[in-house]
Amino acid sequence: MSLARYTIEKKTVSIVLTLVLLLGGIMAFLNMSRLEDPEFTIKQALVITNYPGATPAEVADEVTDVIESAAQQLKQLKEVTSINNRGQSIVTVEVAEKYDKNTLPQVWDELRRKVNDAQRALPPGAGPSFVIDDFSDVYGILLSVSGDGYSQQDLQDYVSYLRKQLLLVDNVAKVSIWGDRQETVFVEISRARMAQLGLSLESVYKMLSERNLVVKAGNVRVGREYIEIAPTGGIESVESLGDLFIRDVKGGMLVPLKDVATIHRGYQDPPSRIMHFNGKSSIALGISMIPSSNVVDLGKAVDLKLEELKSETPIGINVENIYFQPKRVEDAVNSFVLNLGEAVVIVIIVLLLFMGMQSGLLIGAVLLITICGSFIFIQMAGVALERISLGALIIALGMLVDNAIVIIEGILIRYQKGGRRIQSAVDVVEQNKWPLLGATVIAVLAFAGIGMSQDSVGEFCRSLFVVLLISLMMSWITAVTITPLLCEMFLKPKVSEGGDLYKGFIFRVYKKVLEFCLRRRAFTLLVLGGMLVASIYGFGFVKQSFFPDSTQPRFFIHYWLPQGTDVRATRDDIAEIERFIKKDKRVKNITSFIGEGAPRFILTYAPEKSNSSYGMILVEVKDYSTVDEVMTKYKEEVNALYPQAEAKFKKFKLGPGREASFEVRFSGPDTKILRDLSREAQQVMLKSGKAESIRDNWRQEVKVLTPVIMEAQAKIAGITRPDLARAMNMFFSGARAGVYREGDKLLPIVMRPPENERLNVEQIGDVQVFSPVAGRMIPVEEIVSGFATEMQYGMLKTRNRMLTVTASCEPVSGLPSVLFNELRPQIESIKIPAGYTMEWGGEYEDSTDAQASLGGCLPLPFAIMVLVTIMLFNCLRIPLIIWLTVPLSIIGVTVGLLLTGEPFGFMALLGFLSLSGMLIKNAVVLLDQVNIELKEGKEPYMAVVDSCVSRIRPVAMAAVTTILGMLPLVTDAFFSAMAVTIMSGLAFATVLTLLVVPVLYAVFYKIKNPV
């Protein structure tokens, strides 16, 4: 029994199952997870190794090389890069694209084992290394906590309490604190007092470090008990530190620490990270959610918890939103659902206008059933409601009605001819089900490349393929089951009295044009060939891009002072910029993160690593439409007021990508040659006059103050280089000498001179260092010949174990691809010495890699598409005819993109590839009818003409519904180029297909024109 007959005869079962699809789909939609953008896995981990006192070159040679060698043993490795700062190595390990979020934990465990094994090869004083594999966590809720009149400690205590409370909220995975400062116990000892008493650094270190250690004292048996021994002598309070005794080296007397030192509590100085919210000192709380949770529900739960805690919040402490993804997701999803609803209404109205009331309503009902049924399986596939999945549904809308249109059109014609109702419905379904299935599979396979792509772009767009796969297959199922049932129940047209069913104006005009083309086949093909050549030429004038800018009402200001700038100087500049931007009435909020990038609050944002000369300002405006003018205004002001700084104004990006849109990399063994190559490339960028934010990632060289040791005198005094380094560190920065235990907190004890002694560089010659030979403190002037100021690299970067410098810039206006095409020949003309290489990065590399990944996945789906067309017709000529029509879409795509000015980016590329499936589907429907007519014994020429005339309505309606259904996407920043590509390409190609397919068929099968 056929599916159609079973569905009609088992009417009750069919209706119940239809209701299940409707209600189940509604429930699935309401319960689906919601996101703003789809997730993609950042396949990177950091390996951080400290090497105090080492230069960037020493760090690169002695530490980074060891860690990179260990990472290189991973068979999963894609590339390894590093940042070599003074005293610290940061190695970034990136694994191959085929490893996903499920397999990555095993890769990171293996990386940890390799890094641990490499620890023994590190130089003395370096390490241990830390592997950080969660730096890609996204904190979609970012809160600011501030309070006028409250101390730093008051804020930190409240933030700590708030963090514990928020961790109790359902679906909260992690709560991270940003901008807090390490509380510290300072022991400030005057140099003069230490010299007077003959105290050595070692004696003070030893006393402070050992006094508060927790050491097991053993147990003793007393009768039947086994009692633990716990000596007293721990430090009970900060003040009690002053009661500790230091031995006077000269007289051997014990001197209380309080007699020679001032002891007080404070904070890490200088701070490593500073945060402001609307000009006030603040601390940030970032909240990440458990994977696959509903971010909208999480936002409501967090709001409820904060509301509950208001009664316990001290008056004056404010908890405000920096970035609240749940609200943005709710607005975005609601907007897309509205677009989806608009698209459904547009499609149904078109159907009613062109298919008649009965047919239009039936197809509309089938469309709603298909969408609801699709939601059930989309949820089961783990797809969330987000930008890509909802956009995919809108793209699919027109195609979802294609199968139903063919079935209803066929049944309608049979009913009008007086055919029996059930038998007519069954016959139409049996006649069309396999061609429609084949055409549907072909349409799905056109999107399969993105579903199979394993890179971050493929992962980002994968829900597009999943949604189209499920919804299009669901449309075929409903077409061959529910559609004939509804036709049998509700479709009741008037029976024709033997007249021509295709006598309408459109049918008559099309038939005349078709016969004109068939009689002038060579001319028709020549004209189309000319149009195709012209469109290919015109495509060279279409702008290129990767992913468009976001519609976020926010933008970044990345601000770099010269490398080596004190973080407090960076803070002062940022505070000034905040003040004049905050006065702008168009600005809603302004948040600053100084010394390091903000927590990753959206997946497409990559935080800047720790750098005292860096600050980031996040500006939120009241209306997105003002972003460009606000950016332009303050870009000019900041560049004019702070010429010594590098300020980069950047809009949010949609989709994966890197921070700089234009990058060129130079790799090789010599730092000087690499820097010269980078400067030469930067000169090209500067001379163009079309580039801004020109910089390289090695930044500027930094000043280094170098005491020149007199080896003989130092040897006589028994002083080594480490002794001198420790003395310098203690008297200027302070040295950690132990920990103070206070409840569950461990506060570092830092020993340093008073402020008036440690901050004056002119007193460097008075620094005292203990001489074990003399038994006293001596000035460093006795062992150094002078102090030299040298310029050294503040950081060095490597890529795949080669020193690599990256020069980058941004276009002053327009697309990065335009600037790239202009500067590429000039930069590639730079002479590269032997042993050095140049590579392109930025948007060009991102786009090239994404297209290569997509292209590598296309051969298999397209091979299957060819096989399906062969299987459908059991011959080679008809599939060849079908595939020859596919390039016709280029004509419409070129015209559409040039007229609208939309760039041809990655999403437009996906739209272009999907056109092949749509066009093949139309051609299959057309040529299948030709075969049917021929089998019925019609003369070949009339079979071709009559088949095309009878199929013009389903083919044209399929194209019109797809084109008009995509109208809501034209205004969407992310989908606009894709929508224009599909709409214009399908419009032109459908018209041409209705003419070219029959002409090619007549040519291939040598059908003669009637006399």
Side-chain angles (χ1 to χ4, degrees):
M1 182 181 290
S2 71
L3 280 174
R5 185 176 295 279
Y6 182 87
T7 305
I8 294 171
E9 293 182 353
K10 305 291 183 181
K11 191 174 296 185
T12 303
V13 174
S14 302
I15 292 173
V16 169
L17 290 176
T18 302
L19 292 175
V20 168
L21 286 179
L22 285 169
L23 297 176
I26 293 170
M27 292 177 62
F29 173 79
L30 295 175
N31 293 321
M32 285 176 72
S33 177
R34 282 159 168 76
L35 294 170
E36 182 177 4
D37 292 304
E39 296 177 330
F40 61 91
T41 307
I42 297 176
K43 300 165 186 179
Q44 296 176 337
L46 301 182
V47 183
I48 299 177
T49 311
N50 291 322
Y51 188 12
T55 66
E58 290 169 337
V59 169
D61 293 338
E62 300 175 29
V63 175
T64 298
D65 190 61
V66 173
I67 300 301
E68 288 178 334
S69 296
Q72 202 168 23
Q73 298 172 31
L74 289 172
K75 64 179 181 295
Q76 304 94 336
L77 185 69
K78 178 184 178 183
E79 70 176 26
V80 58
T81 58
S82 75
I83 303 174
N84 300 281
N85 298 312
R86 191 170 190 86
Q88 188 182 63
S89 162
I90 304 175
V91 176
T92 302
V93 179
E94 183 173 356
V95 300
E97 304 291 0
K98 65 180 180 179
Y99 298 97
D100 58 18
K101 60 184 177 182
N102 299 316
T103 55
L104 275 180
Q106 297 176 1
V107 177
W108 301 144
D109 285 345
E110 186 175 346
L111 175 63
R112 284 190 176 87
R113 291 195 295 272
K114 301 291 186 187
V115 170
N116 287 337
D117 291 344
Q119 296 303 290
R120 63 176 71 94
L122 294 176
S129 302
F130 302 96
V131 177
I132 302 173
D133 61 4
D134 62 351
F135 84 107
S136 60
D137 288 351
V138 177
Y139 300 94
I141 299 176
L142 194 58
L143 306 175
S144 163
V145 180
S146 60
D148 292 330
Y150 286 90
S151 68
Q152 179 74 15
Q153 191 56 49
D154 290 335
L155 286 178
Q156 291 188 183
D157 288 343
Y158 179 72
V159 166
S160 179
Y161 165 75
L162 187 58
R163 176 180 179 274
K164 292 176 181 178
Q165 293 298 313
L166 290 172
L167 282 169
L168 301 175
V169 176
D170 288 343
N171 295 322
V172 168
K174 189 186 298 184
V175 179
S176 176
I177 299 174
W178 199 103
D180 57 331
R181 293 173 63 183
Q182 173 65 59
E183 191 177 7
T184 305
V185 176
F186 292 105
V187 178
E188 297 184 344
I189 308 175
S190 169
R191 289 198 294 259
R193 187 67 174 149
M194 286 190 70
Q196 179 186 348
L197 296 174
L199 297 175
S200 68
L201 291 175
E202 285 75 9
S203 64
V204 180
Y205 271 126
K206 187 173 173 52
M207 179 272 297
L208 289 174
S209 61
E210 294 181 354
R211 189 53 184 265
N212 208 28
L213 291 178
V214 175
V215 181
K216 183 173 177 62
N219 299 69
V220 62
R221 181 172 179 175
V222 180
R224 296 177 63 84
E225 296 180 281
Y226 194 55
I227 300 174
E228 186 170 345
I229 302 170
T232 62
I235 302 171
E236 301 297 331
S237 65
V238 171
E239 291 74 19
S240 66
L241 278 171
D243 298 328
L244 300 179
F245 288 95
I246 310 167
R247 186 175 296 279
D248 181 347
V249 176
K250 288 184 177 179
M253 296 177 59
L254 294 176
V255 181
L257 183 60
K258 63 186 176 184
D259 287 356
V260 297
T262 301
I263 303 168
H264 65 93
R265 299 169 76 124
Y267 295 95
Q268 173 189 352
D269 188 31
S272 60
R273 303 188 299 188
I274 304 169
M275 180 191 158
H276 296 159
F277 182 74
N278 289 331
K280 299 177 183 176
S281 179
S282 305
I283 300 174
L285 272 172
I287 304 172
S288 67
M289 71 173 185
I290 293 171
S292 302
S293 301
N294 190 322
V295 71
V296 176
D297 290 344
L298 175 68
K300 293 175 181 177
V302 168
D303 279 341
L304 185 61
K305 174 60 75 172
L306 291 175
E307 189 66 31
E308 290 174 1
L309 294 174
K310 274 189 177 179
S311 59
E312 302 174 36
T313 302
I315 296 174
I317 287 185
N318 300 310
V319 181
E320 299 170 273
N321 294 333
I322 300 172
Y323 186 82
F324 199 73
Q325 191 185 56
K327 174 62 177 171
R328 181 154 180 86
V329 168
E330 188 172 21
D331 292 344
V333 170
N334 289 342
S335 175
F336 259 98
V337 170
L338 179 62
N339 286 345
L340 179 62
E342 290 173 351
V344 170
V345 170
I346 290 171
V347 169
I348 291 176
I349 290 173
V350 171
L351 292 170
L352 291 173
L353 290 175
F354 291 96
M355 295 289 291
M357 182 64 71
Q358 289 186 15
S359 299
L361 288 175
L362 287 180
I363 296 172
V366 173
L367 175 62
L368 293 176
I369 295 166
T370 302
I371 293 173
C372 288
S374 298
F375 274 128
I376 297 173
F377 297 97
I378 290 171
Q379 184 193 34
M380 290 172 63
V383 175
L385 286 179
E386 27 82 355
R387 185 189 309 276
I388 302 293
S389 61
L390 285 167
L393 270 176
I394 296 175
I395 292 168
L397 272 182
M399 292 187 283
L400 294 185
V401 298
D402 289 0
N403 294 326
I405 287 175
V406 173
I407 297 297
I408 289 180
E409 168 82 0
I411 295 175
L412 177 65
I413 295 300
R414 298 220 177 192
Y415 282 179
Q416 287 176 335
K417 290 181 177 179
R420 290 183 298 167
R421 297 188 64 79
I422 294 179
Q423 191 59 47
S424 295
V426 171
D427 289 346
V428 169
V429 170
E430 289 301 307
Q431 176 183 300
N432 290 283
K433 65 179 180 181
W434 297 123
L436 289 180
L437 177 61
T440 303
V441 169
I442 288 170
V444 170
L445 288 171
F447 291 91
I450 196 63
M452 297 166 61
S453 179
Q454 294 181 327
D455 68 346
S456 58
V457 177
E459 190 175 358
F460 184 78
C461 298
R462 188 159 297 144
S463 59
L464 180 76
F465 170 69
V466 174
V467 170
L468 285 164
L469 168 65
I470 291 171
S471 59
L472 289 178
M473 294 311 298
M474 179 62 69
S475 76
W476 180 80
I477 293 171
T478 54
V480 299
T481 55
I482 296 170
T483 303
L485 170 65
L486 294 179
C487 287
E488 196 276 332
M489 292 174 64
F490 301 109
L491 186 61
K492 297 176 181 177
K494 292 181 180 179
V495 177
S496 174
E497 299 297 333
D500 186 1
L501 297 175
Y502 302 105
K503 60 185 177 183
F505 174 76
I506 294 177
F507 293 110
R508 287 186 283 109
V509 170
Y510 169 62
K511 186 174 181 179
K512 287 182 180 179
V513 173
L514 175 60
E515 290 192 299
F516 176 87
C517 293
L518 284 171
R519 292 177 184 277
R520 296 164 181 80
R521 299 169 194 180
F523 173 75
T524 301
L525 296 178
L526 188 64
V527 170
L528 288 173
M531 293 173 65
L532 186 60
V533 171
S535 65
I536 293 172
Y537 173 76
F539 194 80
F541 297 96
V542 174
K543 293 181 288 187
Q544 307 290 313
S545 76
F546 185 40
F547 279 115
D549 291 328
S550 170
T551 55
Q552 287 260 13
R554 297 173 178 84
F555 63 89
F556 297 109
I557 306 176
H558 298 286
Y559 186 87
W560 290 272
L561 283 168
Q563 190 69 10
T565 302
D566 190 293
V567 70
R568 290 160 291 195
T570 309
R571 173 198 61 196
D572 294 341
D573 277 13
I574 293 288
E576 290 176 5
I577 296 170
E578 287 172 349
R579 281 193 288 273
F580 64 73
I581 292 181
K582 191 66 183 80
K583 293 176 184 177
D584 196 316
K585 293 182 179 180
R586 296 168 294 183
V587 174
K588 182 178 180 181
N589 289 312
I590 182 167
T591 312
S592 300
F593 300 87
I594 303 149
E596 189 178 309
R600 191 190 295 268
F601 57 93
I602 54 172
L603 197 56
T604 54
Y605 164 67
E608 181 81 3
K609 296 179 177 65
S610 182
N611 187 339
S612 64
S613 61
Y614 171 78
M616 187 270 279
I617 303 175
L618 178 64
V619 181
E620 181 182 2
V621 297
K622 296 173 183 176
D623 183 0
Y624 164 72
S625 62
T626 64
V627 166
D628 287 326
E629 59 188 66
V630 173
M631 281 179 61
T632 302
K633 172 180 170 60
Y634 293 109
K635 184 189 298 183
E636 295 172 356
E637 290 191 23
V638 170
N639 289 336
L641 293 173
Y642 304 94
Q644 79 284 7
E646 299 170 5
K648 181 159 78 169
F649 288 65
K650 193 80 173 173
K651 294 173 75 172
F652 281 54
K653 278 296 227 182
L654 287 172
R658 66 195 74 201
E659 190 57 38
S661 58
F662 186 107
E663 290 180 348
V664 58
R665 293 189 297 267
F666 299 97
S667 300
D670 187 86
T671 54
K672 184 179 183 304
I673 293 176
L674 290 174
R675 178 51 67 89
D676 289 342
L677 289 171
S678 171
R679 286 173 178 157
E680 198 170 344
Q682 290 178 68
Q683 275 299 113
V684 173
M685 299 172 189
L686 186 63
K687 287 180 180 178
S688 72
K690 298 178 181 179
E692 61 183 10
S693 301
I694 301 168
R695 59 192 297 270
D696 73 35
N697 63 349
W698 282 13
R699 312 282 334 282
Q700 301 85 358
E701 294 182 339
V702 299
K703 297 184 183 73
V704 178
L705 193 59
T706 307
V708 182
I709 300 175
M710 296 185 292
E711 294 296 337
Q713 285 81 347
K715 188 76 172 176
I716 292 170
I719 297 173
T720 63
R721 181 190 177 196
D723 294 332
L724 178 60
R726 282 194 292 269
M728 290 289 179
N729 183 51
M730 200 283 280
F731 281 104
F732 284 100
S733 301
R736 180 166 175 163
V739 293
Y740 166 64
R741 299 175 183 278
E742 185 177 69
D744 61 349
K745 295 190 291 187
L746 297 178
L747 307 185
I749 300 172
V750 174
M751 191 170 64
R752 65 184 185 181
E755 184 176 356
N756 63 329
E757 294 183 13
R758 73 176 181 272
L759 299 180
N760 190 349
V761 72
E762 294 178 359
Q763 297 180 6
I764 191 169
D766 299 331
V767 171
Q768 304 285 315
V769 59
F770 184 77
S771 168
V773 175
R776 63 182 176 84
M777 304 291 287
I778 64 172
V780 297
E781 287 181 332
E782 295 186 14
I783 61 166
V784 301
S785 60
F787 298 90
T789 301
E790 298 178 356
M791 298 301 293
Q792 295 182 2
Y793 289 107
M795 69 169 70
L796 293 173
K797 297 195 175 186
T798 68
R799 181 183 176 89
N800 292 329
R801 306 190 68 185
M802 288 287 290
L803 284 169
T804 303
V805 61
T806 303
S808 63
C809 68
E810 299 291 336
V812 173
S813 61
L815 294 170
S817 59
V818 178
L819 181 65
F820 177 80
N821 291 333
E822 181 173 334
L823 299 186
R824 181 177 185 175
Q826 301 174 55
I827 292 178
E828 287 183 344
S829 67
I830 295 174
K831 186 176 180 181
I832 308 296
Y836 293 79
T837 60
M838 186 195 81
E839 294 178 314
W840 290 108
E843 186 178 283
Y844 173 79
E845 184 179 40
D846 289 335
S847 180
T848 302
D849 289 349
Q851 291 176 18
S853 178
L854 178 63
C857 300
L858 290 178
L860 179 60
F862 272 84
I864 298 174
M865 290 167 71
V866 172
L867 287 174
V868 170
T869 54
I870 293 172
M871 291 170 64
L872 282 174
F873 295 99
N874 191 30
C875 68
L876 294 177
R877 279 186 288 183
I878 291 180
L880 182 59
I881 293 168
I882 291 171
W883 281 94
L884 283 174
T885 63
V886 171
L888 296 178
S889 59
I890 298 175
I891 300 171
V893 170
T894 301
V895 173
L897 292 177
L898 287 175
L899 288 177
T900 60
E902 288 286 347
F904 187 77
F906 187 78
M907 294 306 293
L909 173 63
L910 290 184
F912 181 71
L913 294 175
S914 71
L915 279 172
S916 62
M918 299 178 190
L919 295 178
I920 291 171
K921 189 175 184 180
N922 287 342
V924 166
V925 170
L926 205 63
L927 292 173
D928 179 65
Q929 185 63 32
V930 173
N931 283 347
I932 293 172
E933 300 275 356
L934 288 171
K935 287 178 182 177
E936 292 177 353
K938 276 194 179 181
E939 188 267 327
Y941 179 86
M942 291 310 301
V944 170
V945 173
D946 290 347
S947 298
C948 291
V949 171
S950 68
R951 287 303 195 190
I952 184 176
R953 183 156 55 182
V955 169
M957 285 304 304
V960 170
T961 52
T962 300
I963 292 167
L964 296 182
M966 297 191 92
L967 280 176
L969 290 182
V970 173
T971 56
D972 182 85
F974 189 77
F975 283 104
S976 57
M978 185 182 194
V980 168
T981 299
I982 293 177
M983 292 170 70
S984 58
L986 188 59
F988 275 76
T990 299
V991 173
L992 296 177
T993 298
L994 287 168
L995 299 174
V996 173
V997 168
V999 169
L1000 286 175
Y1001 187 91
V1003 170
F1004 274 65
Y1005 283 89
K1006 300 178 181 178
I1007 297 174
K1008 295 180 180 180
N1009 293 322
V1011 179

